[in-house]
Amino acid sequence: MLGQVVELIEKKHKFAITSHMRPDGDGIGSGLALYWMLHSLGKEVEVVLRDRVPPAYLVLPGSEDVLVQPDINRAYDAVFLMECSDVERPGLPSLHHQLIVNIDHHSTTEPFGHINWIDPTAGAVGEMIYNLCKALGSEVTKEIAECIYTALLTDTGSFHFSNTTERSLKIASELVRRGVEPARISQALFYSYPFSKIKLLGMVLSTIERDESGKIAWVKVDRETMYEADASEEDSDGIVNHALSIDEVMAVAFFKELSPKVYRISLRSKGKNNVAKVAEVFGGGGHRNAAGCRIEGDFEEVRQRVIEGLQAAVGVAPIAV
Ligand code: 5GP
Ligand code: MN
């Protein structure tokens, strides 16, 4: 709970912050916001990630201080895990020797930490860090504001998704008052892509297919296509949302081949159609409208299982075969 987090920060001194592998805007933004806040309170703090900060997020203050390491190798009073569904997701094997603070807004998250603060009503973990700032009575500096704004902007799909609430817009407004320049952040996040990302986008979108109902669509990418586009792993982030921009489509899947017969699946949906439930069936999780999982098997079999799951979630008849 928030109260326990406040008490811990007040009493202890030496902290680390981490997030999941292949970190996104909320993982990095909320982590760096907490980093600046703990700094301002005179604490000793490090941000440790298994994977590098994607270039788009280098716009964030503090991103150059992030330690990219295959494991956590010091003793801390506590380690904050930002938006992680379990203790394995940061990819830092020695984490379980530390005191873990689990801060998340996914309803599918287990209370795996020694302290768990989970708020599924928050649009982003960044929003929770804003609340923590207020609870601790610390000033929302320009650095903190830029990090939280980025977390909010990315997790709400630029304020398009259903987690965009009066509260998230109010916080965004306050962050702009604290010095955030929205156009500068958007320019860095959405208008500074490498050529390879747009090349890959074109190749992946050309694979689009839909089911007989027209309500479910999917796209895919294999390793060969990634190679042909000279794409980095981050270049495929966000492609899934384009498939959802079709009028009658209610749920979509993006199948990304990681290695032979291993697929990462990103799911997205509109409205009340719940794709987190579909991801959970395969050991993944996420939110109602954005979720993911990993499945091993032949592509055709994996595709069929996922599409049938989406059809059930949307309430349409399965494909007749
Ligand atoms: P993405 O499709 O962008 O990778 O993930 C969408 C959402 O689903 C994110 O909120 C992410 O945290 C969640 N998610 C993706 N993959 C997994 C997974 O393997 N396990 C869990 N628990 N959540 C996931
Ligand atoms: Mn998030």
Side-chain angles (χ1 to χ4, degrees), residues 6-309:
V6 168
E7 195 182 329
L8 177 87
I9 292 174
E10 283 172 348
K11 285 199 177 139
K12 301 289 182 176
H13 182 70
K14 191 171 163 187
F15 300 105
I17 299 165
T18 189
S19 188
H20 49 83
M21 292 178 268
R22 308 227 11 259
D24 60 9
D26 192 24
I28 296 169
S30 63
L32 287 175
L34 180 59
Y35 170 75
W36 285 110
M37 197 177 70
L38 292 174
H39 241 301
S40 74
L41 294 169
K43 308 289 175 176
E44 199 182 317
V45 54
E46 292 178 335
V47 182
V48 181
L49 294 175
R50 213 277 312 258
D51 294 331
R52 69 168 185 162
V53 175
Y57 301 114
L58 294 176
V59 68
L60 290 182
S63 56
E64 64 282 4
D65 301 341
V66 171
L67 304 172
V68 179
Q69 296 175 181
D71 202 356
I72 202 134
N73 49 25
R74 295 179 62 196
Y76 301 94
D77 292 335
V79 181
F80 295 91
L81 269 66
M82 317 307 281
E83 62 156 22
C84 291
S85 51
D86 56 65
V87 77
E88 314 295 335
R89 278 207 93 204
L92 305 168
S94 306
L95 257 185
H96 57 269
H97 299 308
Q98 309 271 348
L99 189 125
I100 301 288
V101 186
N102 165 19
I103 304 185
D104 197 6
H105 67 137
H106 292 90
S107 53
T108 51
T109 293
E110 293 292 325
F112 62 84
H114 299 97
I115 294 177
N116 299 280
W117 178 27
I118 299 163
D119 179 3
T121 71
V125 175
E127 204 174 298
M128 298 170 71
I129 300 305
Y130 179 87
N131 295 336
L132 178 61
C133 229
K134 294 285 162 187
L136 280 160
S138 56
E139 190 200 341
V140 180
T141 60
K142 184 176 177 190
E143 285 84 7
I144 295 174
E146 286 186 332
C147 296
I148 295 178
Y149 184 86
T150 298
L152 267 175
L153 188 69
T154 52
D155 254 31
T156 59
S158 301
F159 303 112
H160 291 190
F161 301 157
S162 58
N163 55 350
T164 308
T165 61
E166 186 196 357
R167 187 171 71 179
S168 49
L169 290 168
K170 224 178 218 166
I171 293 174
S173 156
E174 168 71 9
L175 298 174
V176 172
R177 209 166 64 79
R178 298 278 172 174
V180 170
E181 299 162 76
R184 192 177 84 84
I185 302 284
S186 294
Q187 170 77 34
L189 296 186
F190 307 116
Y191 295 90
S192 302
Y193 294 145
F195 181 79
S196 55
K197 185 175 174 91
I198 302 305
K199 174 94 181 149
L200 182 71
L201 173 66
M203 292 164 91
V204 174
L205 284 185
S206 71
T207 70
I208 194 158
E209 290 183 71
R210 57 186 163 167
D211 76 344
E212 286 173 343
S213 74
K215 291 185 178 172
I216 313 288
W218 60 93
V219 290
K220 60 175 188 265
V221 70
D222 55 23
R223 297 319 298 177
E224 199 181 333
T225 307
M226 293 290 288
Y227 181 78
E228 270 176 49
D230 194 21
S232 70
E233 294 306 318
E234 292 130 28
D235 285 344
S236 63
D237 289 349
I239 291 183
V240 63
N241 298 312
H242 290 269
L244 197 63
S245 62
I246 301 164
D247 185 12
E248 57 284 351
V249 166
M250 290 296 143
V252 296
F254 172 41
F255 298 90
K256 179 176 174 177
E257 186 188 44
L258 298 179
S259 55
K261 296 193 181 196
V262 182
Y263 295 90
R264 233 219 91 67
I265 294 120
S266 284
L267 304 173
R268 298 289 185 271
S269 66
K270 289 175 184 160
K272 297 213 182 316
N273 302 298
N274 190 339
V275 290
K277 290 240 178 311
V278 181
E280 275 184 81
V281 170
F282 302 106
H287 306 279
R288 185 182 69 190
N289 297 131
C293 59
R294 214 179 120 110
I295 310 182
E296 298 188 11
D298 286 320
F299 176 73
E300 200 35 48
E301 175 212 334
V302 170
R303 185 198 64 82
Q304 200 166 331
R305 289 172 71 196
V306 171
I307 299 309
E308 279 172 7

